[in-house]
Amino acid sequence: MLRMRSCLLKLTRVVLSHKPWALFFLIFMFVSFAYIKLYWGIWEDPKSRGQPYGPSAEIDCARYVPSSLNIAGGPSPSAGNVFFVETSEQTTPSYLFSCSVESAARTHPESRVVVLMRGLAKGDASLPKHWAFSLLRCFPNVEIRPLDLTELFSGTPLRRWYLWPLRHWEPHFLAVLSDACRIVLMWKFGGIYLDTDFIVLKNLQNLTNALGIQDKDELNGAFLSFKPKHKFIELCMQDFVQNYNGWVWGHQGPELLTRVFKKWCSFRTIKSMSCKGVSALAPEAVYPIPWQEWKKLFEAVSALELHKLLRNTYAVHIWNKLSHGAKLEIPSQALLAQLYSQFCPATYVKMKQD
């Protein structure tokens, strides 16, 4: 904190030495800071703050998780990792966060499900006392670790981008940081990356070097599956730096992947296809509910309708940025409630209790 104040004081002195620009610059910095605080205040998910610490933080694994899963052997070294990333400082996972990790752990029993969280202290093996951490520890293939961004970006074109001192002033910084983490994880380690607002229905390991189409002419990086050091991901890292614009929402995420894929395939439009070893999956694979129709997640559906809807689906993206404020009745016949019940039953039991 003292270092930050010292830096700001020095910056102010330098600015004031150029008086014609001083007032404009200071006003710009103040407005930018106020906008960032307001933006993240609007979009923060109140539910992501989780439940207060207390006795309910401890979970009885035998009660929530079947013994066959609880005592299962460790993951196979040959199976690729499944990665989740939390780039904010949050350490109080939401129900949806817990469901995402639980559903991935259940559908990938032979894979390590690695949850990287920026808010966890480095070098501290203990986790905060929160029911979600206690529940997820019941799954032997789930690992929850601190996210060391300096180490992650080292040895990649994104290192200099991340270390630029004014990066945190950008309005979409956390979203862009998440975009950066996922492509670097795929480059360095390979495996599967998922946003923390997915509910996984089936094993994803047979979807190799693939990403999903979110609508008619745009890809999305909420799901990625690649072999390590893949050329396509290398091109994504290069585009991230060369065509960087952190002030436009989606420019470093869906728009980047779409730009690179079109160049990769020499096409002007996106369609479900495999091109030079990279597959663009049809929307029903991982984005069966378009973001424009996210309210369908909260509408009642019959068991038959649910079966038809998810017949060709591997995972369902919940579009939490849009849906987090909607009320979900538990239990109910709402599509989202049924997904919770079937694919993350331990989290669902906790939701009913609370």
Side-chain angles (χ1 to χ4, degrees), residues 27-310:
I27 291 174
F28 173 78
M29 296 292 281
F30 174 79
V31 171
S32 297
F33 178 76
Y35 172 77
I36 292 168
K37 296 295 288 184
L38 177 62
Y39 177 86
W40 288 112
I42 291 173
W43 287 110
E44 181 185 8
D45 181 357
K47 297 178 184 178
S48 69
R49 297 175 187 142
Q51 302 298 316
Y53 295 168
S56 63
E58 291 301 321
I59 294 291
D60 179 5
C61 290
R63 180 180 178 186
Y64 285 85
V65 182
S67 58
S68 58
L69 278 170
N70 189 33
I71 64 174
S76 169
S78 61
N81 293 334
V82 179
F83 291 101
F84 292 93
V85 175
E86 177 56 71
T87 54
S88 76
E89 300 287 346
Q90 292 278 0
T91 56
T92 53
S94 65
Y95 295 120
L96 181 54
F97 184 111
S98 175
C99 182
S100 296
V101 179
E102 178 187 345
S103 63
R106 289 178 180 275
T107 51
H108 298 79
E110 296 185 355
S111 301
R112 288 192 308 168
V113 178
V114 182
V115 184
L116 300 170
M117 301 188 71
R118 188 179 172 202
L120 297 180
K122 300 179 183 67
D124 186 356
S126 62
L127 293 172
K129 292 182 179 179
H130 187 274
W131 67 265
F133 293 127
S134 182
L135 186 150
L136 294 174
R137 278 199 300 262
C138 297
F139 296 90
N141 57 334
V142 172
E143 300 179 13
I144 302 174
R145 305 178 184 175
L147 173 61
D148 187 334
L149 291 167
T150 303
E151 180 182 352
L152 178 63
F153 294 132
S154 66
T156 75
L158 279 72
R159 179 180 178 274
R160 291 182 63 186
W161 164 82
Y162 175 67
L163 293 177
W164 190 58
L166 297 182
R167 187 66 61 207
H168 292 236
W169 286 87
E170 294 173 354
H172 310 303
F173 173 69
L174 289 184
V176 173
L177 184 60
S178 178
D179 294 329
C181 288
R182 66 192 69 182
I183 60 175
V184 171
L185 283 168
M186 291 296 95
W187 166 251
K188 283 192 168 184
F189 307 107
I192 295 166
Y193 167 84
L194 292 167
D195 274 1
T196 56
D197 57 350
F198 259 110
I199 298 180
V200 186
L201 319 186
K202 302 172 185 174
N203 191 290
L204 298 160
Q205 292 291 1
N206 64 327
L207 303 178
T208 306
N209 300 331
L211 64 171
I213 300 173
Q214 74 170 8
D215 54 32
K216 183 168 60 175
D217 196 37
E218 192 167 52
L219 297 165
N220 193 307
F223 157 79
L224 295 172
S225 178
F226 280 88
K227 296 289 187 182
K229 305 298 189 293
H230 196 282
K231 183 64 177 178
F232 179 84
I233 297 297
E234 181 181 355
L235 293 175
C236 288
M237 291 194 298
Q238 293 173 2
D239 187 282
F240 189 98
V241 176
Q242 294 170 1
N243 298 309
Y244 184 76
N245 187 343
W247 292 79
V248 176
W249 176 262
H251 185 82
Q252 300 302 118
E255 292 182 19
L256 180 152
L257 294 167
T258 303
R259 289 193 303 270
V260 174
F261 189 79
K262 286 180 177 179
K263 291 178 183 177
W264 179 265
C265 297
S266 301
F267 284 138
R268 293 184 178 181
T269 59
I270 298 291
K271 58 183 178 180
S272 178
M273 60 178 293
S274 182
C275 175
K276 291 167 32 176
V278 177
S279 298
L281 305 177
E284 58 263 28
V286 287
Y287 306 110
I289 307 296
W291 66 266
Q292 302 93 330
E293 301 174 17
W294 65 266
K295 292 183 180 179
K296 286 186 176 180
L297 292 160
F298 298 85
E299 297 174 0
V301 295
S302 67
L304 180 60
E305 289 174 309
L306 179 64
H307 177 73
K308 288 181 179 179
L309 177 65
L310 305 179

